[in-house]
Amino acid sequence: MTNWVYPLGSATDGNWDISLGTSDSATAVEGWAHTGLKVATLAAGAAVSLPAAGEERIVIPLNGAFTATVDGVDYPLAGRTSVFHGPSDVLYSGTGKAVTISSADGGRVAVATAPAKAAYPTRLVTAAETPVELRGAGNCSRQVHNFGTPAALEADRFIVCEVLTPAGNWSSYPPHKHDEEKDGETNLEEIYYFETRVSAGSGAPADADAIGYQRVYASDERPIDVAAEVRTGDVVLVPYGWHGPAMAAPGYDLYYLNVMAGPGPVREWLISDDPHHGWVRQSWDGQDIDPRLPFTA
């Protein structure tokens, strides 16, 4: 059976902590075709480069500040202290462009990718321009940074966003799927890249093991059954099937970067809820959004 869970250290490639699904990835994933992710940790003054390829890319600082260079133009990315400190500047490169990423002070950076043919211009999306959505309510409250969604970014194939979930809350819930092209649904692969931290004021010891959980299960005859404990740097791939919840364990906040793309004609995130659990959305009526949100600098 194909491996859909990649703990930190299991998909390294040269200077990259993670390299999955991209045009140059050394780790092959059987049946994976539409999305990719690279993550690098750079020392002060270090850089990584990606050659020109038939894929579009978006550079996302996870912690620290960076400069992304495309077509000889330097784009400073202000970055952030951590993924839990609000949005960051990001850079969309378009397709067929070499990209170099450097950092004066060091940090961790992600690059989301998708095979693409249509050309769109390189674009800097600043933190101030990033649409911030507070989704759900009660213990299903979460914060979404929609910098790479169709409403915010012109692109060919992918949809990219990041989600922050306070300790004890459930995200990606109710369970849903997007694995068919039909009315009300689009067929999209999805990558989840996770980071975790001890929640502020939790009273946890300094060596606490910040964890979260991710669930994926079959929506048809194709077998998939993932119930993964996740930590900073772990990746879960969702080729198809119901997925959710992504659970932030009590005491630990949860972050994930989502990269979605598929073979369909429309770049749109359309989903179907698991009919056993879709009723949960109505239960949010009258509930307040978790007062711990939004996470900001």
Side-chain angles (χ1 to χ4, degrees):
M1 182 178 292
T2 301
N3 182 21
W4 304 122
V5 181
Y6 291 84
L8 178 65
S10 63
T12 60
D13 184 10
N15 294 324
W16 298 96
D17 303 331
I18 297 166
S19 182
L20 288 168
T22 63
S23 60
D24 63 345
S25 290
T27 300
V29 182
E30 182 181 355
W32 198 259
H34 304 290
T35 57
L37 176 71
K38 299 179 87 76
V39 176
T41 303
L42 299 186
V48 287
S49 294
L50 290 164
E55 61 185 18
E56 57 188 354
R57 297 161 174 157
I58 190 163
V59 180
I60 306 141
L62 300 172
N63 74 276
F66 297 84
T67 298
T69 304
V70 180
D71 289 336
V73 179
D74 291 340
Y75 296 88
L77 306 179
R80 51 194 167 182
T81 303
S82 81
V83 294
F84 298 99
H85 286 75
S88 169
D89 297 349
V90 303
L91 184 75
Y92 174 74
S93 72
T95 188
K97 305 286 184 69
V99 180
T100 297
I101 306 164
S102 59
S103 178
D105 298 320
R108 190 166 57 256
V109 63
V111 183
T113 75
K117 295 180 179 178
Y120 289 88
T122 299
R123 182 184 165 195
L124 173 67
V125 181
T126 67
E129 294 172 319
T130 297
V132 177
E133 174 190 3
L134 299 184
R135 186 179 297 172
N139 66 351
C140 290
S141 300
R142 57 270 204 189
Q143 176 176 332
V144 187
H145 299 161
N146 288 310
F147 52 79
T149 60
L153 177 70
E154 277 195 315
D156 184 18
R157 302 306 304 168
F158 61 21
I159 298 170
V160 187
C161 66
E162 52 189 11
V163 181
L164 298 95
T165 308
N169 285 10
W170 285 33
S171 195
S172 287
Y173 198 74
H176 57 279
K177 73 180 185 75
H178 38 74
D179 57 14
E180 295 180 85
E181 288 291 331
K182 64 179 185 178
D183 287 345
E185 187 175 334
T186 44
N187 184 5
L188 302 168
E189 288 180 349
E190 185 164 12
I191 297 173
Y192 280 73
Y193 164 80
F194 292 94
E195 297 207 0
T196 57
R197 73 166 183 182
V198 173
S199 181
S202 67
D207 61 349
D209 184 16
I211 56 173
Y213 294 89
Q214 171 71 5
R215 181 79 171 104
V216 186
Y217 57 99
S219 59
D220 53 27
E221 72 282 355
R222 294 173 292 179
I224 188 167
D225 188 358
V226 173
E229 187 172 275
V230 295
R231 295 168 174 80
T232 293
D234 294 350
V235 175
V236 174
L237 304 181
V238 182
Y240 48 78
W242 306 112
H243 47 287
M247 294 173 281
Y252 307 119
D253 298 324
L254 181 69
Y255 162 96
Y256 52 89
L257 173 66
N258 278 152
V259 187
M260 293 175 277
V266 178
R267 178 180 171 243
E268 192 170 5
W269 182 65
L270 300 176
I271 65 172
S272 299
D273 285 340
D274 183 332
H276 295 96
H277 306 295
W279 65 268
V280 170
R281 291 190 190 275
Q282 283 64 57
S283 73
W284 301 338
D285 294 342
Q287 292 190 56
D288 293 331
I289 293 174
D290 192 313
R292 293 173 290 179
L293 295 177
F295 289 121
T296 68

